[in-house]
Amino acid sequence: MQLDPQRVWKNAREATTVDLLDRLTAFRDGLEPAAKPILEAELRERGIGPMEIHAHGLALEGKCLKNSDGTVARCSLCLRPAVAADWNWFRLWRVIPIFPWKFLYCQDHARLHSTDEASRHPSG
C-alpha cells in the first residue's frame, strides 16, 4: 500500500503536539518510514526540536505497556501510550457492571483512576 504524503501532512497538522510526540517516540516502530520526516517537520514548525522529542521519549521509556506482539499498547480511554493496567468492571451504558475487564491507562488517566479509587475506598 502506498503512503499518501498529502494525507499524512493533513493528519499531522490536525494532531495535537503531544500526539505527534507520542507517535515519534512510543509508537515510532509502527510508523511508515516515509511518515517520520513529515511528523518531525510539523513539530519543527511548532517550535519542537529533536531535543524535546528525545526528552519526551525518555519520559516514556520503560513505562509503556506492550501488547503480545511487542507493540506499545494504547490507553483504553484515549490514544496515548498505556503505562498502567488495572481490573475494573466493564459497564453497560456506563452504569450496569457486566463483567471484569482489564483496562489500560495512559499517564493522565492512570492518575485520574488512582484518584477515583482512593476516593471510593478511603483508608483509615
Side-chain angles (χ1 to χ4, degrees):
M1 185 162 96
Q2 193 77 311
L3 180 76
D4 179 5
Q6 297 300 344
R7 186 172 175 202
V8 176
W9 272 110
K10 181 181 183 306
N11 183 281
R13 287 188 184 108
E14 294 172 354
T16 65
T17 301
V18 172
D19 181 35
L20 294 174
L21 288 167
D22 286 343
R23 290 186 212 178
L24 282 171
T25 55
F27 301 119
R28 188 174 188 91
D29 293 338
L31 282 177
E32 289 287 335
K36 293 173 188 177
I38 294 171
L39 301 182
E40 290 168 346
E42 177 61 25
L43 283 172
R44 271 194 309 278
E45 288 180 19
R46 297 180 188 194
I48 307 294
M51 295 299 288
E52 291 89 353
I53 294 170
H54 183 69
H56 186 81
L58 286 177
L60 290 173
E61 191 172 314
K63 295 179 183 175
C64 296
L65 301 178
K66 304 280 184 166
N67 293 316
S68 59
D69 64 358
T71 60
V72 173
R74 291 190 184 269
C75 177
S76 298
L77 304 174
C78 69
L79 297 176
R80 302 243 17 238
V83 297
D86 197 10
W87 288 93
N88 208 332
W89 286 101
F90 185 89
R91 296 175 184 270
L92 182 63
W93 300 304
R94 295 186 180 187
V95 177
I96 304 166
I98 304 295
F99 50 86
W101 188 264
K102 188 175 187 177
F103 287 90
L104 305 177
Y105 299 105
C106 64
Q107 291 174 333
D108 295 335
H109 288 116
R111 279 193 292 268
L112 291 173
H113 177 71
S114 65
T115 302
D116 289 346
E117 287 298 312
S119 65
R120 278 187 263 175
H121 305 289
S123 60

